[in-house]
Amino acid sequence: MEVLVPFSADRPKSRLADALSPSERAAFARTMLADVLAAIGDAGGSPRILATDGFDPTDEPTVPLDPPVTVDDRPLTDAVNAVLEERRPGGEGDPLAVVMADLALATPAALRELFAAGREADVAIAPGRGGGTNALVVSHPRFHVDYHGASYLDHRRIAADVGAGFAAVDSHRLGTDIDETDDLAEVLIHGEGQAATWLREAGFALDASEGRVAVVRE
Ligand SMILES: Nc1nc2c(ncn2[C@@H]2O[C@H](COP(=O)(O)OP(=O)(O)OP(=O)(O)O)[C@@H](O)[C@H]2O)c(=O)[nH]1
Ligand SMILES: C[C@H](OP(=O)(O)O)C(=O)O
């Protein structure tokens, strides 16, 4: 399955500003991207990066699989819809997955489940905590995306409006996008890739001293 991986290369992960410097945020974002691409490849998917201007595939850490890169500096929704649009003539029925680059817990097994759901339904979505759309598969020709806010609900509505069959993919691993400092604890607890190693090497550790487990930096 073809898998589009949107990646914001300029000022990525601004909501991690409390925990990481700008250059650290850029490095950590690329590390998560590398993990996501590796998991997609292991799940049998063919990734294509959809990047903003300024993306350099040779930056460290280099991305695995040497995927094709489409550069589109428009906002996320417009850039993804442009890819959906360009596939329409003749591409009907061929599912396209869109998997975010900040799903640091993604595993091949979790992605295989997503791909399988997307082969059954016209639109399959793994929601993120807080109502986002962390990963989707679309084969319906009239579905379009509208990211940000409670985009999971918006996408369900759009699917209903165009008469597309819908499936929700209930996945802890795909449902955990790494947006805020508290999310880093999830990477330390469950991460199996380079992002977890990167955080440990940067001095992050779990802090289970009170309430929900958090992170501290040594
Ligand atoms: N191509 C593209 N990808 C984007 C854009 N904005 C976000 N992304 C990617 O979409 C996914 C979800 O991004 P967000 O968590 O909403 O945004 P972010 O830029 O990573 O982080 P924040 O700055 O904290 O909002 C990540 O894979 C981003 O790299 C965009 O304008 N264009
Ligand atoms: C792209 C956006 O991500 P969030 O801003 O929720 O992390 C969404 O899922 O709609």
Side-chain angles (χ1 to χ4, degrees):
M1 183 172 303
E2 195 182 341
V3 186
L4 197 63
V5 183
F7 184 69
S8 165
D10 54 334
R11 288 181 288 122
K13 292 289 132 210
S14 57
R15 284 171 282 173
L16 290 174
D18 286 348
L20 299 171
S21 71
S23 63
E24 287 175 329
R25 295 201 295 276
F28 182 59
R30 284 189 68 99
T31 307
M32 291 197 287
L33 171 68
D35 282 347
V36 168
L37 291 171
I40 291 168
D42 288 348
S46 306
R48 166 151 61 120
I49 297 173
L50 176 65
T52 55
D53 219 1
F55 178 74
D56 182 349
T58 64
D59 279 354
E60 289 294 327
T62 52
V63 294
L65 312 174
D66 197 14
V69 179
T70 299
V71 173
D72 188 330
D73 223 22
R74 286 175 287 181
L76 177 64
T77 292
D78 296 339
V80 172
N81 280 330
V83 175
L84 290 175
E85 231 8 272
E86 123 207 330
R87 290 167 56 86
R88 259 159 206 159
E92 193 168 325
D94 236 5
L96 173 75
V98 183
V99 174
M100 294 315 190
D102 57 357
L103 306 187
L105 308 191
T107 55
L111 287 164
R112 272 188 225 107
E113 257 181 58
L114 171 79
F115 298 163
R119 284 190 201 95
E120 297 293 320
D122 296 326
V123 176
I125 295 186
R129 284 178 307 164
T133 301
N134 286 1
L136 66 82
V137 182
V138 54
S139 53
H140 193 281
R142 290 199 309 281
F143 181 81
H144 63 272
V145 295
D146 184 1
Y147 283 108
H148 300 301
S151 64
Y152 173 67
L153 296 176
D154 295 332
H155 288 147
R156 282 192 74 142
R157 183 186 42 77
I158 294 166
D161 286 350
V162 300
F166 182 87
V169 179
D170 181 4
S171 168
H172 169 250
R173 287 193 168 275
L174 299 183
T176 306
D177 47 338
I178 308 306
D179 287 334
E180 297 174 0
T181 303
D182 282 351
D183 299 329
L184 300 179
E186 301 296 330
V187 184
L188 291 177
I189 294 168
H190 302 287
E192 296 172 4
Q194 295 185 63
T197 306
W198 189 96
L199 284 178
R200 288 194 187 95
E201 287 178 359
F204 286 90
L206 291 173
D207 173 10
S209 57
E210 54 184 293
R212 180 172 286 198
V213 174
V215 292
V216 285
R217 196 167 190 179
E218 285 144 9

